[in-house]
Amino acid sequence: MAKISINLTSGTVSKSIAVIGIDLGTTNSLIATINRENKSPYCITKEKESIVPSAIYFGENGPIIGSEAIAKLVAEPENTIYSIKRLLGKSYTDIQDAKQQLNYEIIDDEDKLVKVKIGTKYYSPIELSSLILKELKSIAETQLQEEVSKVVITVPAYFNDSQRQATRDAGKLAGLDVLRIINEPTAASLAYGIGLDPTESRTVAVFDLGGGTFDISILEIHNGVFEVLSTNGDTFLGGDDIDRAIVNLWTTEYKLSNLNTSDKQLLRVTAEKAKKSLTTLQVYSHKLTIGTKEVSLNLTIEQLNKLLKPLIGRTMQCCSRAISDAEIELSAIDEVVLVGGSTKTKAIKDAVKNYFVHSAVNDTLNPDEVVALGAAIEADILAGNRTDMLLLDVTPLSLGIETVGGLMDVLIPRNSKVPTTLKKEYTTSVDGQINLRVSVYQGERELSADNRKLGEFILQNIPAMPAGLPKIEMTFMLNADGILQVSAEEKRSGTKQVVDMKSQYGLTDLEIKTMLKESIDHAQEDMDKRSLAEAKTEADQLVYATDKFIRDNADLFTAENIEKINYLKNEIVLSIDAKDKDGIVSAMDSLNNYSRPFAEIAMDKNIAKALQGKKIE
Ligand code: ADP
Ligand code: MG
């Protein structure tokens, strides 16, 4: 319930605002808020379920989000969208791997953001994600009985600039005021209250194995400050891979060939069920009809563990890299936090415990919920309810510009804390150079071409000087969301250019506004159609009335007059054919203006006629 607090001295009334944390997951999304009485976070549920599958089904009555959409995966794979987070903020070339695993149609939108085709319509991943966020907003509003707008949304630590921007855009599009985008592992550690005591110092590893992504983050918490020492992971490693491995095992074992899309989906869903039930059981058995074949599917815990081996190996490699990036010893890690549905699998949990042998493993909270819970705590901090906290996040990839010879020159090294600002001075390489192209890249490779281009701009009107003389100061400003602003200034002349690097893949504010207005625009289109129809009807009537008037008053018109009227009538017909509403109206005006004097004469005559024989006293 919303609480109203009244300031007694001023008499002003202020409404308290719900603070909301959102875990916008690849597979599942959740929302959490803070209980105002006991100040602790909890997940908001719909029909007692906190998990909202991140799936959208496009049916005849518009999009349906969540478990009802998941239910359509088998019957209508082409109309059911899942794992959309894999495409968020990505270009067509980025997603070639992901593409093969998704059953809906993905379109190359001129090498910018990808689009998804459903039926005859095209949707951007941002629009699709916003549908999920809208659903979460509405669930929260129903439950809390108050309007929800201010939110914190989490993203995997590995998300780059354009992915973070895309997430923020999706929030905006859903009508949310996104207070901050934070890393999922940061949220998860907050959920365990690690660091809430400002006198405590802790080093924490957050192990997050979800449906589609794996993240390992090393955090250091000191004086109530969260600092991410390093992040590592794999954006193509998660529970989906386990499901796929099970499907592959079954198709080989039961010689299932020539599977259609529905069969494949059915197997995928069954594989996930098998995997989940092996959290508590030793063997899973299920009868299924695939095509015309009846098969009795089996999966034992030994088989599953064997499939898990390579996957677990990959997660552990990432852990080693994260620890070496953090420049700490394995034994320095005090605690491990388990996150993501896949950490419920016993073999995975055991592997983590074996690897982090010196650390306490936190697994008391539901690993599905920890990220959302922590996001709610962060929202609470940002709402000013916890004043003693500060969050430092980290940028996972280096940011820099291309210099002569196509080299990457790093301004902000990877694992730098954000927000941060860095300046560096450059100069020209050619005498009299007046323009300087600044290309911004993200990545760790030496050659900029091997890294990811975020965008470019041209610093123009540098006064002509010998090469090496201009002093060009480049400033990289990375805000708390990990979104980059770049500016270049020639110091001798003060020539300056500032650019938001979001423009390359993210949506601009204008584009978002345009999309928001789309529904209104459609209304406008309908209105235009209607006023055209109205003008056409009116014009038809005028032409008809004019013809009739000429017939009735033939004596008033010369051949020349008639010719002129026919010309003006034809102008109306041409405008109608061209569906030109304004043209129709002005052609009608012209005809009216031309014929008005005739009408007046005719009227006078008629009045005179009517008055004939009447005496005027
Ligand atoms: P994401 O963060 O990618 O949205 P989640 O953290 O919600 O993902 O995890 C989803 C994954 O967890 C799915 O692959 C799902 O099959 C898996 N999962 C959920 N419950 C279990 C379980 N009991 N045992 C094993 N895996 C599980
Ligand atoms: Mg997750």
Side-chain angles (χ1 to χ4, degrees), residues 96-303:
Q96 288 315 304
D97 304 358
K99 210 180 149 224
Q100 301 151 9
Q101 294 158 14
L102 304 171
N103 286 310
Y104 41 85
E105 198 174 341
I106 299 165
I107 308 291
D108 185 0
D109 188 20
E110 287 160 9
D111 226 13
K112 263 185 96 195
L113 287 166
V114 293
K115 285 254 163 98
V116 176
K117 190 176 177 206
I118 302 132
T120 54
K121 283 188 145 186
Y122 296 85
Y123 296 87
S124 72
I126 292 175
E127 285 172 277
L128 295 169
S129 302
S130 86
L131 292 176
I132 297 169
L133 289 170
K134 259 187 217 161
E135 173 73 7
L136 298 173
K137 179 181 194 284
S138 117
I139 291 172
E141 285 176 342
T142 308
Q143 277 292 308
L144 301 174
Q145 292 289 299
E146 63 185 287
E147 203 188 313
V148 164
S149 72
K150 293 193 184 306
V151 300
V152 166
I153 305 178
T154 59
V155 295
Y158 245 56
F159 257 29
N160 65 24
D161 184 77
S162 66
Q163 292 166 298
R164 281 165 202 269
Q165 189 61 51
T167 305
R168 182 172 272 278
D169 289 345
K172 260 196 244 176
L173 199 55
L176 295 168
D177 176 7
V178 183
L179 298 173
R180 175 113 20 126
I181 302 288
I182 65 164
N183 286 340
E184 287 160 12
T186 305
S189 61
L190 276 172
Y192 275 101
I194 299 168
L196 290 180
D197 173 1
T199 62
E200 195 181 54
S201 288
R202 288 230 118 5
T203 306
V204 183
V206 181
F207 184 100
D208 180 350
L209 190 60
T213 53
F214 171 61
D215 287 306
I216 174 76
S217 312
I218 313 293
L219 315 181
E220 191 170 79
I221 301 138
H222 187 62
N223 289 337
V225 175
F226 286 68
E227 187 184 335
V228 184
L229 296 181
S230 72
T231 64
N232 210 294
D234 191 330
T235 45
F236 285 98
L237 188 58
D240 296 346
D241 299 284
I242 307 173
D243 304 346
R244 219 170 290 124
I246 298 171
V247 169
N248 289 342
L249 179 86
W250 282 344
T251 45
T252 317
E253 194 172 316
Y254 302 105
K255 299 191 172 56
L256 306 170
S257 51
N258 298 327
L259 299 176
N260 62 27
T261 315
S262 295
D263 289 338
K264 282 184 199 157
Q265 286 294 351
L266 186 59
L267 271 181
R268 205 180 71 87
V269 171
T270 314
E272 192 188 1
K273 267 194 205 135
K275 173 188 72 178
K276 285 187 183 173
S277 62
L278 290 187
T279 308
T280 46
L281 300 175
Q282 293 298 308
V283 59
Y284 172 88
S285 308
H286 187 71
K287 276 204 176 69
L288 212 61
T289 309
I290 299 284
T292 54
K293 211 168 161 181
E294 167 116 351
V295 276
S296 188
L297 299 172
N298 263 304
L299 186 72
T300 66
I301 191 91
E302 289 79 20
Q303 280 177 311

Side-chain angles (χ1 to χ4, degrees), residues 23-30 85 154 156 184 208-213 215 339-341 367-368 371:
D23 172 6
L24 182 63
T26 313
T27 321
N28 298 310
S29 296
L30 297 93
K85 192 172 170 182
T154 59
E184 287 160 12
D208 180 350
L209 190 60
T213 53
D215 287 306
V339 185
D368 294 323
V371 170

Side-chain angles (χ1 to χ4, degrees), residues 44 49 150 165 256 317 349-350 361 385 404 449 455 484 613:
I44 295 170
E49 181 57 82
K150 293 193 184 306
Q165 189 61 51
L256 306 170
Q317 273 172 11
K349 207 188 269 203
D350 288 347
V361 176
N385 299 337
V404 178
L484 180 69

Side-chain angles (χ1 to χ4, degrees), residues 280-517:
T280 46
L281 300 175
Q282 293 298 308
V283 59
Y284 172 88
S285 308
H286 187 71
K287 276 204 176 69
L288 212 61
T289 309
I290 299 284
T292 54
K293 211 168 161 181
E294 167 116 351
V295 276
S296 188
L297 299 172
N298 263 304
L299 186 72
T300 66
I301 191 91
E302 289 79 20
Q303 280 177 311
L304 177 66
N305 288 349
K306 201 173 157 205
L307 295 178
L308 287 169
K309 265 223 166 97
L311 187 139
I312 290 173
R314 282 164 70 191
T315 64
M316 294 311 155
Q317 273 172 11
C318 293
C319 290
S320 305
R321 281 200 290 268
I323 290 163
S324 88
D325 272 353
E327 293 174 1
I328 56 163
E329 295 293 318
L330 178 64
S331 58
I333 294 168
D334 302 305
E335 311 206 38
V336 176
V337 175
L338 289 183
V339 185
S342 299
T343 62
K344 290 181 198 168
T345 297
K346 192 165 177 307
I348 293 173
K349 207 188 269 203
D350 288 347
V352 176
K353 286 181 180 170
N354 286 336
Y355 183 88
F356 294 96
V357 66
H358 310 281
S359 328
V361 176
N362 291 271
D363 57 358
T364 52
L365 294 172
N366 182 345
D368 294 323
E369 294 186 349
V370 280
V371 170
L373 296 175
I377 294 173
E378 170 69 2
D380 202 33
I381 295 169
L382 292 173
N385 299 337
R386 293 169 193 238
T387 48
D388 52 341
M389 309 267 308
L390 174 66
L391 259 184
L392 290 180
D393 265 332
V394 73
T395 173
L397 295 170
S398 302
L399 294 161
I401 61 168
E402 184 180 65
T403 52
V404 178
L407 292 177
M408 169 88 173
D409 193 42
V410 171
L411 275 101
I412 299 181
R414 79 187 229 97
N415 284 332
S416 294
K417 290 164 214 158
V418 293
T420 185
T421 299
L422 259 122
K423 290 178 194 292
K424 206 166 175 179
E425 222 165 78
Y426 295 87
T427 189
T428 51
S429 56
V430 179
D431 282 341
Q433 188 172 339
I434 52 165
N435 289 333
L436 183 78
R437 183 188 299 271
V438 179
S439 302
V440 180
Y441 287 84
Q442 183 174 38
E444 309 311 314
R445 306 280 293 272
E446 293 296 323
L447 289 178
S448 53
D450 294 331
N451 291 323
R452 177 196 181 85
K453 190 172 187 173
L454 292 179
E456 71 178 15
F457 63 94
I458 292 170
L459 180 65
Q460 286 174 319
N461 303 326
I462 303 168
M465 282 181 256
L469 205 58
K471 287 176 132 192
I472 296 156
E473 186 182 72
M474 210 66 71
T475 308
F476 272 38
M477 254 178 62
L478 195 61
N479 73 12
D481 295 338
I483 292 163
L484 180 69
Q485 192 184 62
V486 176
S487 64
E489 183 178 7
E490 200 291 298
K491 298 294 267 187
R492 292 182 196 277
S493 60
T495 311
K496 196 170 178 180
Q497 175 94 30
V498 182
V499 173
D500 262 356
M501 279 304 136
K502 68 179 185 184
S503 48
Q504 180 87 350
Y505 291 110
L507 289 177
T508 63
D509 284 357
L510 184 70
E511 280 172 311
I512 290 191
K513 273 195 197 128
T514 314
M515 289 164 95
L516 282 171
K517 276 199 187 129

